[in-house]
Amino acid sequence: MNTYKLTLLAVLAALAVVGRYVFAFLPNVQPVTSLIIICGLLLGPLAAVLLAILTTFLSNMLLGMGIWTVWQVVSWGLIGVLSGLLGKYPKKFPFWVIVAFSIFSGFLYGFVISLMTYSIAGEFWPYYLAGLPFSVNHAVGNAIFMVVFYPVISHLFKTYSNKHFYLKNTS
């Protein structure tokens, strides 16, 4: 982890925390999952897991901590690892595959969060089925945020990376 990656991670964490806070009035519509996916694809699985941890704890300081915080870290961390592994794949994926993965991640997040209730109350299916509309909101929100953020952030990362690489090799 170098200062370049730490800087990008800090910017993504700030964007995710602010985005989660700003969109708190919409149930499960937030840019966090999409930003973690983008981070995993562009910076790798470790950076995505770190972003998941940072975003969860920092945003929950504003929105409220609870037992769900652990499960949010687990679910976003899992999504970060999966997206990081996809980013390591040598062939570049078409954009629609990335958007489809972000939709899948919305449902995966809901599934993992539903496991929290099972671990506490011993009930899974009633909680999971009751949460499906929220998972749909999350999946649709992920797709929208991915369409908006991925082209911009990937372009900025590549531009910054090229400039950083150039400056590093000329000094």
Side-chain angles (χ1 to χ4, degrees):
M1 194 64 69
N2 56 23
T3 54
Y4 165 71
K5 266 193 174 180
L6 287 174
T7 303
L8 295 177
L9 207 57
V11 169
L12 286 175
L15 186 61
V17 170
V18 169
R20 188 166 181 222
Y21 187 73
V22 167
F23 285 97
F25 68 96
L26 292 172
N28 278 31
V29 176
Q30 54 195 343
V32 176
T33 307
S34 296
L35 290 171
I36 290 171
I37 293 169
I38 293 168
C39 180
L41 290 171
L42 300 177
L43 300 177
L46 176 62
V49 170
L50 287 174
L51 179 63
I53 293 168
L54 277 171
T55 301
T56 304
F57 285 110
L58 293 174
S59 62
N60 281 359
M61 284 179 171
L62 298 170
L63 300 171
M65 293 278 188
I67 188 68
W68 58 85
T69 302
V70 174
W71 290 95
Q72 287 174 321
V73 169
V74 169
S75 59
W76 277 325
L78 176 63
I79 291 167
V81 167
L82 292 175
S83 62
L85 293 176
L86 282 177
K88 299 275 185 202
Y89 194 75
K91 186 178 179 201
K92 196 153 169 68
F93 289 102
F95 184 61
W96 69 267
V97 172
I98 296 170
V99 173
F101 179 72
S102 71
I103 292 169
F104 165 76
S105 296
F107 290 105
L108 177 62
Y109 177 89
F111 180 80
V112 173
I113 293 295
S114 296
L115 289 175
M116 171 188 67
T117 300
Y118 178 73
S119 70
I120 295 171
E123 296 292 328
F124 172 76
W125 288 109
Y127 187 79
Y128 178 73
L129 293 175
L132 269 178
F134 296 99
S135 294
V136 169
N137 284 355
H138 195 165
V140 170
N142 286 348
I144 292 169
F145 286 121
M146 190 61 72
V147 167
V148 171
F149 284 141
Y150 184 77
V152 174
I153 292 175
S154 64
H155 174 73
L156 290 174
F157 274 28
K158 287 174 187 167
T159 303
Y160 185 75
S161 176
N162 290 340
K163 182 184 274 186
H164 176 74
F165 181 75
Y166 176 76
L167 291 175
K168 186 176 181 181
N169 287 333
T170 58
S171 55

